[in-house]
Amino acid sequence: MRNFLILFTICFSILATQPAFAKRHKGIEFLNSGTVLPTNLPFSEAVRVDNTIYLSGQIGILPGTLTLAPGGIEAESRQTMENIKTSLNANGYNMSNLVKCTVLLADMSEWNTFNDIYRTYFSDKYPARSAIGANGLALGAKVEVECIAAIE
């Protein structure tokens, strides 16, 4: 009888914690709109956790392809920012919802050129940001930007 009570207590404890566990993870969605990135890539375009969306890094590819926009850092920077905007819009967010961006540049001497384009996508409120020099970005890209957005 004692062993039965111990087993019953363990089973009851496990079953009682299941609904709480499910509730904690209910707010996670893996998003792949197909508006920018091909949907067959081994990562999600974005992941929404409650009211926060985490965007995978975007490079300056032409939407639906794996072809970089021709024209160097200016064209890639503009296309990267357009891709971020498109991905946000497809998932119910916009550029004003961005709270953090991480910029990776293949050549840090192109930081000013990127900045000139980046600033045109925001009004007076800019997300927090980091910029890092990186070697070997996907597809030989000159710039990659990953972002976090939030809605109140």
Side-chain angles (χ1 to χ4, degrees):
M1 180 70 170
R2 181 171 186 252
N3 287 343
F4 173 76
L5 287 175
I6 292 172
L7 183 59
F8 176 78
T9 303
I10 291 171
C11 290
F12 180 78
S13 297
I14 291 171
L15 291 174
T17 61
Q18 290 296 344
F21 180 81
K23 187 175 182 181
R24 275 189 301 218
H25 295 288
K26 187 176 182 181
I28 299 174
E29 292 179 79
F30 298 89
L31 307 167
N32 291 297
S33 71
T35 58
V36 175
L37 297 171
T39 57
N40 63 341
L41 297 175
F43 54 89
S44 294
E45 171 186 336
V47 176
R48 183 184 345 241
V49 180
D50 298 323
N51 292 330
T52 303
I53 191 168
Y54 301 86
L55 295 176
S56 288
Q58 288 283 350
I59 59 176
I61 58 171
L62 301 172
T65 74
L66 293 178
T67 303
L68 291 169
I73 186 67
E74 287 185 40
E76 285 187 40
S77 296
R78 194 168 319 286
Q79 188 63 58
T80 297
M81 296 307 294
E82 284 296 319
N83 291 347
I84 290 166
K85 185 177 176 180
T86 299
S87 183
L88 286 168
N89 291 340
N91 291 295
Y93 291 73
N94 59 56
M95 297 297 279
S96 67
N97 295 123
L98 289 176
V99 295
K100 174 70 169 94
C101 293
T102 303
V103 179
L104 297 100
L105 294 168
D107 183 350
M108 285 301 287
S109 71
E110 296 178 318
W111 186 78
N112 285 329
T113 303
F114 173 79
N115 259 353
D116 290 343
I117 293 162
Y118 178 85
R119 73 172 28 102
T120 67
Y121 284 84
F122 302 96
S123 53
D124 60 338
K125 294 182 181 174
Y126 295 96
R129 192 181 95 180
S130 304
I132 302 166
N135 184 14
L137 296 176
L139 304 176
K142 294 181 176 294
V143 60
E144 181 171 349
V145 181
E146 67 175 28
C147 300
I148 300 170
I151 298 178
E152 290 185 42

